[in-house]
Amino acid sequence: MKKHALQLIMVFGVATLLTACDKKESNKKVRGDWRSKDSSTSLKITDKKFIMDGDVQNAEDYFTKGDTIFTSFEGNQPYTKFVIQKLDEQRMNLLYPDSVAVEFIR
């Protein structure tokens, strides 16, 4: 009986860890249409897609974790990381993977 209880606890623990690690959420504040302050770059973020410069053909899947947006084309890895430096209703500062900071406005 003790053996079955211990196995059940281990299975429950593993299931909890897997669901916690696989949590891919979307930050509602980042969704919308954005343009860089100098209007050279447009960015559209929907529930599931990250679209840069209106290139719908190359729209990337994304998820957020903390202050980072992880994108990938058709689920391929490695993920491209964009760090959110500042985010409010009208402004978003993104640090691109090549360490260039870009300010976006709605």
Side-chain angles (χ1 to χ4, degrees):
M1 187 67 167
K2 284 185 178 181
K3 189 176 184 180
H4 293 296
L6 186 57
Q7 289 175 340
L8 183 63
I9 290 171
M10 286 178 28
V11 168
F12 180 72
V14 168
T16 303
L17 285 174
L18 286 175
T19 56
C21 291
D22 195 38
K23 188 174 183 182
K24 296 178 180 178
E25 57 191 39
S26 171
N27 186 335
K28 292 180 182 182
K29 280 187 177 180
V30 301
R31 294 183 202 158
D33 294 319
W34 299 90
R35 62 180 167 81
S36 62
K37 203 167 185 179
D38 64 359
S39 297
S40 65
T41 304
S42 66
L43 178 63
K44 182 175 184 175
I45 302 175
T46 66
D47 288 341
K48 298 181 181 185
K49 297 293 181 184
F50 186 92
I51 305 164
M52 194 159 296
D53 293 328
D55 190 5
V56 179
Q57 294 288 4
N58 291 320
E60 298 187 34
D61 300 326
Y62 82 97
F63 65 93
T64 59
K65 191 167 189 174
D67 63 350
T68 305
I69 300 172
F70 295 89
T71 67
S72 68
F73 185 70
E74 296 179 351
N76 293 328
Q77 291 184 4
Y79 296 114
T80 304
K81 298 180 203 177
F82 294 87
V83 177
I84 302 169
Q85 294 180 317
K86 181 180 179 183
L87 176 63
D88 61 34
E89 295 299 323
Q90 298 300 318
R91 297 186 188 287
M92 176 171 61
N93 291 357
L94 278 184
L95 183 64
Y96 278 44
D98 58 358
S99 300
V100 173
V102 178
E103 184 177 349
F104 288 92
I105 56 175
R106 286 195 196 259

